[in-house]
Amino acid sequence: PVEVKKICCIGAGYVGGPTCAVIPHIQVTIVDLNQQRIDAWNSDTLPIYEPGLDEVVKAARGKNLFFSTDVDKAIEEADLIFVSVNTPTKKSGIGAGFAADLKFLQLATRRIAEVAKSSKIVVEKSTVPCRTADAMRTILEANSKPGCHFDILSNPEFLAEGTAIEDLFGPDRVLIGSLQTEQGLSACQSLANVYANWVPRERILTVGLWSSELSKLAANAMLAQRISSVNALSAICEATGANIDEVAYAVGKDTRMGSKFLKASVGFGGSCFQKDILNLVYLSESLHLPEVAKYWRAVVEMNEYQKSRFANKVVNTLFNTITGKKIAILGWAFKKDTGDTRESPSITLANHFLTEKARIDIYDPQVTESQIWLDLTDYGDIPAEPIKPHVKISETVEEACKNAEAIVICTEWDEFKTLDWQKIYDNCPRPAFVFDGRLILDRKALTDIGFKVISIGTGDRI
Ligand code: NAD
Ligand code: UDX
């Protein structure tokens, strides 16, 4: 196998940045078309918030880690190129609302073919539909210079935001897919040798190209399915007097099941789950497997139901109207320990409350005010002026909760567990309602203070 001495990563996002920052010794250049993003990676304020990332980047930057907008130079110099660009859900055209938009991936692939003067290993790091590597190979081969050979590998990323650095230093597994030809297997070994610098060999799995691509969609679909299952059960709990945390605990004790990823919530968010399941739905439909498509689609539908069910519960509990009432939204990120808001359930809830003509006051420890406005206006598609009088963004929890008729926990930030709830209660009108969308609060302590606590998956029946 070729020894990888220089790596290029196309796409300096949530995946490209952290993934490459943990690679030791080997020279890595991460490139992006977005100058602002690259400037931020080269500054003291990195473009993304991720625990432990600052330290890792600062230790390697300028030594073996470089950030640049000179895409062509980095491609030319590299032996191995990670393609880690965004693959969002298509907004228009064939497959709109379901299929992955592969335009960024194809542009990057074309650029590689046009610029490369020597053979390269090209690694699909982005999450893509099954058989995308085939299209990449056709593009590369049709546009390459004589004597240039390209090997294509699939190496999907399994990191979760908020724990990315931990996940990258100690992954459950690294998955590499290649064609089962001599050339393909050799390229696969070259990449495996890169990971072997810090990942135990037995955790580096090598499989066929198509299995690798599909495994990524499968893993995300099955993880999301667990959440939708537990959220579906949470509705039954609310109606019966069962408690979802107790049910999840009992179910998770079965070693065949395991205890992780069974936390009921206001719904899952993030840039991956919904997008990747819809991608799988589209793939199934394209393969004339409508029953399979229907099965996976239900996971997303259950998630939508959970979000609207929770929003409706707020309205119903506040005596069927929230018009003109102040509602505090605690947490805007899609989960704790990230500043990422993509597909955050908070956005859906805020829109629901605004439609009901409530006033909302938002607090999040990591999300910027400008990002919240981008989310509320769907990146400029919805005019801001009409909603401005109904939206406030606060610097502290206390300010957001002051005079609120309902406090809604949307993100499980640790700091919400240790708030001075008595002080917050003293500044709220009565009855003071707290809606725990993440099951993080001490229900009894808050009830003792005087709050009416409404939690996912816990009903009033005794
Ligand atoms: P992102 O939007 O944060 O980053 C992608 C970057 O690629 C952007 O900065 C964009 O400017 C850049 N880019 C796009 N086209 C380019 C081109 N032609 N040349 C150079 N740069 C280009 O996206 P992300 O969250 O890092 O996700 C990247 C991929 O990884 C997606 O396919 C996603 O599904 C997958 N993934 C994401 C996560 C996650 O937690 N975010 C986890 C696993 C896998
Ligand atoms: C996910 C996958 O976990 C990761 O392997 C993949 O690479 C990218 O997609 P991410 O979206 O970053 O990672 O975070 P994750 O921890 O999976 O959480 C996704 C959403 O599910 C969040 O909104 C989270 O709050 C929610 N969730 C998670 C629950 O509601 N309950 C749980 O038990 C776990």
Side-chain angles (χ1 to χ4, degrees):
V2 174
E3 188 193 338
V4 177
K5 296 207 181 82
K6 284 190 184 175
I7 294 175
C8 161
C9 173
I10 306 182
Y14 284 89
V15 169
T19 313
C20 287
V22 303
I23 298 176
H25 322 307
I26 305 168
Q27 183 182 314
V28 185
T29 306
I30 308 178
V31 293
D32 204 293
L33 299 173
N34 183 334
Q35 181 74 52
Q36 221 184 336
R37 231 176 190 186
I38 290 298
D39 289 346
W41 280 111
N42 281 320
S43 77
D44 283 340
T45 315
L46 302 184
I48 61 177
Y49 170 70
E50 192 62 62
L53 179 66
D54 268 31
E55 290 82 344
V56 174
V57 169
K58 279 169 193 163
R61 201 170 54 192
K63 297 190 180 84
N64 73 318
L65 179 66
F66 302 89
F67 296 93
S68 164
T69 47
D70 195 342
V71 179
D72 293 1
K73 180 161 175 271
I75 292 175
E76 248 184 87
E77 289 180 352
D79 317 299
L80 182 144
I81 302 165
F82 284 112
V83 181
S84 185
V85 298
N86 37 330
T87 50
T89 307
K90 270 183 89 170
K91 284 197 168 164
S92 59
I94 301 170
F98 289 91
D101 190 342
L102 297 175
K103 72 172 176 243
F104 302 109
L105 184 99
Q106 294 197 3
L107 280 173
T109 309
R110 224 166 247 285
R111 200 72 217 142
I112 296 170
E114 278 160 21
V115 170
K117 295 197 190 92
S118 57
S119 296
K120 314 278 177 203
I121 298 173
V122 179
V123 185
E124 208 181 57
K125 177 62 93 181
S126 301
T127 304
V128 291
C130 195
R131 290 203 78 89
T132 299
D134 219 11
M136 284 175 82
R137 189 176 45 188
T138 309
I139 293 174
L140 287 168
E141 284 174 359
N143 295 283
S144 65
K145 301 209 168 46
C148 278
H149 176 81
F150 296 103
D151 283 301
I152 301 173
L153 300 175
S154 156
N155 173 221
E157 184 49 60
F158 295 102
L159 69 80
E161 288 178 28
T163 53
I165 297 300
E166 209 178 298
D167 297 342
L168 289 165
F169 277 127
D172 287 346
R173 79 309 209 179
V174 164
L175 183 63
I176 308 175
S178 69
L179 284 181
Q180 303 298 294
T181 57
E182 203 182 317
Q183 223 19 78
L185 292 167
S186 167
C188 178
Q189 272 318 308
S190 296
L191 180 58
N193 291 343
V194 171
Y195 281 109
N197 280 302
W198 76 98
V199 180
R201 285 275 179 191
E202 65 274 14
R203 293 200 178 190
I204 304 174
L205 317 183
T206 55
V207 300
L209 206 41
W210 322 122
S211 304
S212 174
E213 288 179 332
L214 186 58
S215 298
K216 176 65 200 179
L217 296 183
N220 272 353
M222 290 180 75
L223 285 168
Q225 182 199 42
R226 266 170 90 94
I227 304 171
S228 277
S229 298
V230 89
N231 283 343
L233 291 166
S234 76
I236 299 183
C237 287
E238 286 163 38
T240 55
N243 174 306
I244 194 61
D245 267 346
E246 291 179 353
V247 173
Y249 177 72
V251 169
K253 275 290 175 190
D254 186 326
T255 51
R256 292 171 300 176
M257 211 87 75
S259 62
K260 293 182 184 164
F261 244 74
L262 284 177
K263 190 76 181 169
S265 66
V266 59
F268 61 73
S271 64
C272 292
F273 280 172
Q274 177 172 307
K275 162 175 84 74
D276 294 347
I277 296 170
L278 295 177
N279 192 336
L280 192 60
V281 168
Y282 185 71
L283 182 71
S284 310
E285 266 164 9
S286 314
L287 298 169
H288 309 292
L289 302 167
E291 289 80 3
V292 179
K294 189 174 161 208
Y295 176 77
W296 289 114
R297 195 197 296 246
V299 174
V300 175
E301 284 168 359
M302 181 52 63
N303 197 48
E304 290 304 314
Y305 170 68
Q306 184 76 349
K307 289 187 279 183
S308 62
R309 199 170 72 78
F310 187 68
N312 288 340
K313 191 162 207 145
V314 173
V315 179
N316 295 342
T317 310
L318 268 70
F319 316 106
N320 297 317
T321 178
I322 55 170
T323 303
K325 294 181 182 171
K326 171 171 168 174
I327 299 191
I329 295 182
L330 301 192
W332 194 257
F334 80 95
K335 65 185 279 196
K336 73 170 179 176
D337 293 339
T338 178
D340 194 353
T341 64
R342 291 178 286 179
E343 305 296 338
S344 177
S346 307
I347 304 171
T348 314
L349 291 175
N351 285 335
H352 197 104
F353 299 152
L354 287 172
T355 307
E356 293 288 336
K357 302 269 185 294
R359 292 180 292 128
I360 56 175
D361 200 325
I362 302 158
Y363 167 80
D364 188 284
Q366 280 299 332
V367 182
T368 59
E369 187 162 343
S370 56
Q371 182 61 50
I372 295 176
W373 276 109
L374 285 174
D375 293 331
L376 284 172
T377 57
D378 202 8
Y379 283 74
D381 280 359
I382 301 164
E385 286 312 316
I387 54 172
K388 266 190 181 157
H390 306 280
V391 179
K392 186 165 157 285
I393 296 160
S394 288
E395 294 282 314
T396 64
V397 173
E398 289 72 21
E399 193 189 330
C401 294
K402 197 171 179 181
N403 296 326
E405 309 222 13
I407 298 169
V408 184
I409 308 269
C410 293
T411 313
E412 73 283 22
W413 286 103
D414 287 335
E415 63 179 76
F416 297 156
K417 295 182 196 166
T418 53
L419 294 171
D420 184 346
W421 282 103
Q422 180 66 55
K423 199 169 146 204
I424 293 172
Y425 181 73
D426 293 342
N427 287 318
C428 284
R430 308 286 184 261
F433 291 105
V434 174
F435 294 84
D436 187 358
R438 291 293 188 165
L439 293 170
I440 54 168
L441 299 180
D442 182 341
R443 200 179 158 91
K444 181 167 181 320
L446 264 73
T447 308
D448 287 349
I449 289 172
F451 278 112
K452 302 249 177 265
V453 184
I454 290 97
S455 314
I456 296 265
T458 329
D460 301 330
R461 287 181 74 174
I462 309 213

